[in-house]
Structure formats: structure tokens, C-alpha cells
Amino acid sequence: MSNFDDLTPAPAERIADALERLAAACRAMARDRDAAAGLAPLQAQLLTLLARRGPAKVGALARLAGLRQPTVSDALRPLEARDLIRRQAAADDGRAVGVSLTAAGATLAAVIARPPAALVDAAATLPSDRAPELLGDLIAMIHALQQAGVIAPQRLCVTCAHFRRNAGPDAARPHVCALVGAPMGLRHLRLDCAEHLAA
């Protein structure tokens, strides 16, 4: 007679399976949102990257998206035709092409850069005392994937030169952001900080 321990995959495998299911749901919701805005998924991703990171060279956008530069250049053409982005010679390198959002692009990006409402609602069902710990665990997984070279470098607090692990005053705020000189808890950790300085 079998017991559940023999039949149950390891916790890490089940967590990965759950995250894959959530990712599939997120992709479906994002596809619907992007289609309603008349955007292909890659176009929406590029607008979101520009909204979060500011003007960038085509090559940098390609690295962040994990794609080849010609693929990204092709995806930018319809965005430029719709006056959502502007391409010009990069300020620091006349041979490179820089990309920035237009006013219309920034307005649209502000809408599509937000997580799907249904996902936010689902996250809100978690007990409030467990949410910061889950956020910390998810950031640790993103960091592990970044270190493994699976995803492009992210501007995470935990990879920032200003981040001081376990230098905070208490268990609720165990870390410190040296940039602002403030203690921080798990709930304060950022996934994409504009002031990020790679450690």
C-alpha cells in the first residue's frame, strides 16, 4: 500500500508547477489586454520596458527581452508608425539607435505595465502577514534565475550596491537601503528600482 509521501513530488517541483500555471494564466490575461490595445505581446513588452527604464538603445532592449536585435527592431516599426515610440541616434553613440516613448506611448504604457487586475485580486486573497514573506521568496527565485543566466539582470534590491542585508534594527526591518539611509523589511523590497546600482 502506497502512502502520500511516495506519490507526492518534491515541494520544489510542485512550487515550480504552480508558478508555471500562474505564468500561463498571466500570459493569457496579458494577451487579452494587449490585443485590446492593438499590440502584439512583444510590442507590449517593449513599451513596458521603456516605461520602467526610460529611453534605451535597441541592443539594450533586445538583451532585456532576451531576443535578437533584428527581432526587436521589427517589433518597434509598428510602434513607431502609431507614434508610440521615437527612434533617433543614441546621445552617447551616434552609430546606435535610441528608443524613447512619445506622450501617447507613455500613456498607453502606463495602462499595460500594470499587472492584470485579476492577478492583483488573487494576490490580495493571501493573508496579509504572509504576503511579505512570499514576496521575499519570489524575489529570491528571480535572483536565482538571474544568476543562472536564464533571465536578463533585474533591478532588484537584493542585487543593488546600496542594499545592506541584515544591517537593519530589528526582525521586522532586517535590511537597510544605504541610498536613502532607511531600514527595510521584506514588504519594502523592489523588483525594479530606478535607482538600482549593480553590486
Side-chain angles (χ1 to χ4, degrees), residues 18-41:
L19 289 172
E20 195 168 12
R21 292 173 193 223
L22 284 172
C26 289
R27 284 191 300 272
M29 288 184 279
R31 258 194 318 270
D32 291 345
R33 177 199 61 209
D34 299 343
L39 297 169

Side-chain angles (χ1 to χ4, degrees), residues 12 18 20-21 27 40 42 45 47 49 52 64 66 71 82-83 90 116 145 147 149 154 163 169 175 183 192:
E20 195 168 12
R21 292 173 193 223
R27 284 191 300 272
L42 177 53
Q45 181 184 6
L47 287 179
L49 284 171
R52 289 181 178 157
L64 289 167
T71 303
R82 288 179 61 183
D83 194 36
L145 290 170
Q147 288 182 310
Q154 307 292 304
F163 183 70
H175 313 300
D192 191 20

